[in-house]
Amino acid sequence: MSKVRVRFAPSPTGFLHLGGARTALFNWAFARKHEGVFVLRIEDTDVVRSTEESVDVILESLEWLGLFWDEGPKVGGEYGPYFQSERLHLYRQYAEKLVQEGLAYFCYCTPQELEERRQATLAAGKSWRYDRKCYLLTPREREKLENAGRKPVIRFAIPPGHTTFQDMLRGEVSFENQELDDFVIMKSDGIPTYNFACVVDDALMQITHVIRGDDHISNTPRQVLLYKALGFPCPQFAHIPMILGKDRTRLSKRHGSPSVTYYRDQGYLPEAMLNYLARLSWATGEEEKEIFTREEIIARFSLDQVTKHAAVFDLDKLNWMNGVYLRQASNASLASLLEEILVRNGKVRREDLTPSFRAYCEQVVAIMKDRLRYVAQLVEEGEYFFSEDFPFDEEAVRGVLFEEGTGEILRASLVRLQKVDDFTVPLLEEAIREEANRLGVKAARLIHPLRVAVSGKRVGPGLFELLAVLGKGRVLFRIERALRMLEERSSG
RNA sequence: GGCCCAAUCGAAUAGUGGUUAGUUCGGCGGGCUCUCAAUCCGCAAGCCGGGGUUCAAUUCCCCGUUGGGCCA
């Protein structure tokens, strides 16, 4: 059996979205599982919408996920080039071959002419398909049109009959050829259309298995016909389900963000993202197990465990899964992630990333790890770690800080804490519990107002851990400030 | 509009011609606890509808419905 060769072929017209990432993932897993080759090809024939930045973002996203390709941009390979824009001569060559063999033909109809005839046909209550007006053009007629300055497209002549292919997930899928149009394979500017370039490339790159989204099912009969016309062997096809948003429509900005880089920038871990994506549409074959390393994914991956129906992207589950990975990650790695996010959000300047700040970040993630779903939460909800100018939750102030008797308690706590030289968890705990005893109240009576005073929130990490991380100076300052808030309230 | 694909708890999925239809996330309740988490224990929640085939259908077939896709 020949070596498995699969490919992922994105168009660089934007970021890599989750659906594309999952398609890449399945291709990659399939290749690794079968010790085959994973090819990356950039389908940049749409000159207007394709950008170099987009290529970079897509490559970065794949690399971040650890979906490394064996052939393609940056790494090369013997079937290159891997950018379609550098393969135009190949498409031209094969298109001309089809024309010479009478399997494709030049068409000079203008868009306006086509539209007129389409409207007329529709008005007559019939469904429109290209009417093959140019199919039987004589050389003379063609010459005339050329001389009139018309630039032809090349259309593929759909043969009669029907086209059937085996889908690895769905079995036999069949189309009537008459439903297919004599579609354009080369535009008048010499740029191939998607189906044609795709077939030429997949054939020339010796792709054995085409694993792609099921939105391509209806392209497949056209492609199968092209393989036959070009005399290429057909690859195996597997159309995997799409990923939809919560409302079961195509994943888009409305559903949060569909881009891989967004999740990277929010502080999701690549292993978590990969794991979650793998679990969409794929049954691992194991109950009670959701967490899979990339090696485990490869070892278990099989296309016949892939479902046939669309999957809904569930942020809750991704968050849960990312939390699992976050808790497994080292404080050092999370701290460096946190630093990047702080810099990107303008909370910290790059030159302030000192070793001591790094140590501080490690302490922060150490006490926050258990309650994080993604690292950027620390920027969104944990301002109090990085600034004195953090918001106070109104409900916490009203319900906890302004409770009767809190002033005396805070003042007593302040005095007591001033005497604690070393802000370590055991010493802080001892101090607060002793002070509670002395005042004849439960420790909680001190703990809750203190938390609000130093963090502005009524929920958060354990108080003693929090005080220890913030350090004596900031803690005392914040308690004094809270006391002033209380005074202002009672006087005003 | 034409064609194609799909359908099990809210979500991801397992599974079967005869099962108390399993698991994970989420939800709810409880334990632990300074709060929130984390963690542990428990609970609720599903076979899209209608016809067949069959002793028996969630499972096989057909139709419909709904959702999605491609083309226009």
Side-chain angles (χ1 to χ4, degrees):
Chain A
M1 209 182 98
S2 65
K3 192 171 200 180
V4 164
R5 291 178 57 84
V6 296
R7 85 317 192 258
F8 176 57
S11 293
T13 55
F15 47 74
L16 178 64
H17 63 85
L18 298 177
R22 211 272 313 261
T23 300
L25 163 58
F26 281 9
N27 274 285
W28 170 86
F30 186 79
R32 292 291 171 270
K33 167 75 178 245
H34 297 283
E35 294 175 334
V37 175
F38 176 44
V39 177
L40 178 63
R41 180 176 73 229
I42 304 297
E43 306 215 326
D44 57 348
T45 54
D46 185 339
V47 241
V48 182
R49 298 201 303 144
S50 298
T51 64
E52 263 176 62
E53 300 80 72
S54 172
V55 173
D56 292 341
V57 170
I58 290 169
L59 301 191
E60 264 175 43
S61 300
L62 291 170
E63 284 166 346
W64 180 69
L65 287 167
L67 300 177
F68 299 108
W69 52 98
D70 305 305
E71 291 176 23
K74 289 162 88 172
V75 299
E78 47 183 312
Y79 296 88
Y82 293 91
F83 286 80
Q84 286 190 330
S85 57
E86 296 169 22
R87 301 172 63 82
L88 297 178
H89 58 289
L90 293 167
Y91 313 128
R92 223 161 279 155
Q93 180 190 324
Y94 283 98
E96 276 161 23
K97 178 171 176 273
L98 288 179
V99 172
Q100 270 158 29
E101 291 168 354
L103 299 170
Y105 58 95
F106 290 101
C107 169
Y108 296 84
C109 299
T110 64
Q112 295 90 313
E113 289 168 351
L114 289 168
E115 183 57 21
E116 278 167 27
R117 276 182 273 151
R118 193 178 79 88
Q119 293 297 349
T121 310
L122 257 37
K126 294 181 199 156
S127 66
W128 161 260
R129 231 168 276 123
Y130 178 66
D131 52 14
R132 290 202 160 176
K133 184 161 186 282
C134 295
Y135 186 53
L136 294 170
L137 245 37
T138 63
R140 220 209 167 106
E141 289 168 319
R142 285 188 45 200
E143 202 183 329
K144 216 173 138 190
L145 288 158
E146 299 261 355
N147 289 339
R150 291 212 186 182
K151 286 252 171 25
V153 301
I154 299 178
R155 286 183 185 272
F156 181 60
I158 295 282
H162 59 91
T163 301
T164 301
F165 65 92
Q166 286 298 123
D167 186 279
M168 286 195 277
L169 270 55
R170 296 151 220 273
E172 194 173 288
V173 180
S174 186
F175 289 79
E176 291 299 326
N177 290 3
Q178 60 170 4
E179 298 295 336
L180 279 19
D181 224 335
D182 277 2
F183 60 94
V184 175
I185 58 174
M186 292 293 277
K187 295 186 271 185
S188 54
D189 56 5
I191 304 291
T193 58
Y194 164 74
N195 282 311
F196 188 63
C198 183
V199 166
V200 170
D201 287 342
D202 284 340
L204 260 28
M205 293 180 181
Q206 309 219 349
I207 300 302
T208 57
H209 301 259
V210 171
I211 303 168
R212 52 159 54 143
D214 66 14
D215 47 339
H216 286 292
I217 288 180
S218 40
N219 279 323
T220 306
R222 292 183 182 85
Q223 297 192 1
V224 168
L225 255 14
L226 283 172
Y227 278 103
K228 284 188 187 146
L230 290 163
F232 291 133
C234 236
Q236 301 256 93
F237 292 100
H239 290 98
I240 62 179
M242 307 194 61
I243 300 176
L244 305 179
K246 236 181 162 47
D247 57 1
R248 294 202 169 267
T249 62
R250 223 190 182 106
L251 206 53
S252 72
K253 280 129 231 121
R254 287 179 297 109
H255 306 102
S257 177
S259 83
V260 170
T261 40
Y262 168 82
Y263 292 94
R264 180 196 61 189
D265 294 346
Q266 283 295 100
Y268 286 81
L269 300 179
E271 311 85 65
M273 198 69 216
L274 191 80
N275 192 162
Y276 176 69
L277 253 17
R279 288 291 294 108
L280 285 181
S281 307
W282 176 49
T284 63
E286 265 172 273
E287 290 205 338
E288 300 195 43
K289 183 172 166 72
E290 290 288 332
I291 305 301
F292 296 88
T293 64
R294 68 185 58 238
E295 288 73 27
E296 287 175 324
I297 291 169
I298 292 168
R300 287 167 181 73
F301 189 76
S302 166
L303 282 172
D304 45 52
Q305 292 167 316
V306 173
T307 61
K308 298 191 271 273
H309 57 273
V312 173
F313 177 74
D314 182 9
L315 187 59
D316 282 337
K317 188 156 182 175
L318 171 61
N319 280 334
W320 165 77
M321 195 171 272
N322 198 54
V324 172
Y325 280 89
L326 245 23
R327 271 167 251 132
Q328 285 171 2
S330 72
N331 294 336
S333 66
L334 295 182
S336 95
L337 208 51
L338 173 59
E339 285 184 335
E340 280 173 43
I341 291 171
L342 286 167
V343 170
R344 198 178 323 111
N345 284 274
K347 305 286 181 188
V348 174
R349 291 173 306 171
R350 178 137 266 146
E351 54 266 36
D352 292 335
L353 297 181
T354 58
S356 73
F357 185 71
R358 162 60 66 97
Y360 175 66
C361 285
E362 285 193 31
Q363 288 183 289
V364 170
V365 297
I367 64 168
M368 289 298 285
K369 238 178 178 178
D370 279 355
R371 48 216 107 212
L372 284 184
R373 305 193 304 274
Y374 52 93
V375 179
Q377 268 185 297
L378 283 172
V379 176
E380 294 163 6
E381 299 157 28
E383 293 106 316
Y384 59 86
F385 283 115
F386 308 104
S387 160
E388 291 309 314
D389 182 29
F390 57 85
F392 277 77
D393 183 45
E394 207 183 309
E395 200 274 326
V397 173
R398 228 183 314 107
V400 179
L401 217 49
F402 288 172
E403 196 186 341
E404 195 61 39
T406 297
E408 292 69 46
I409 282 171
L410 273 186
R411 210 161 288 120
S413 304
L414 176 64
V415 172
R416 186 70 182 79
L417 287 171
Q418 278 165 339
K419 288 182 220 148
V420 178
D421 293 321
D422 226 0
F423 261 43
T424 63
V425 172
L427 291 180
L428 287 164
E429 175 148 22
E430 196 188 354
I432 295 300
R433 292 203 187 278
E434 272 178 18
E435 190 59 23
N437 255 334
R438 202 182 65 78
L439 295 170
V441 298
K442 285 201 273 187
R445 189 65 186 88
L446 318 206
I447 289 171
H448 295 302
L450 281 169
R451 177 179 289 108
V452 175
V454 300
S455 74
K457 295 179 190 302
R458 71 189 306 172
V459 301
L463 182 76
F464 310 119
E465 286 78 9
L466 179 57
L467 298 184
V469 168
L470 289 173
K472 189 169 181 177
R474 279 192 288 183
V475 168
L476 297 185
F477 170 81
R478 290 179 188 187
I479 295 171
E480 284 164 10
R481 181 169 59 175
L483 283 167
R484 280 199 301 278
M485 284 168 67
L486 280 172
E487 282 160 25
E488 278 165 29
R489 176 179 177 258
S490 49
S491 64

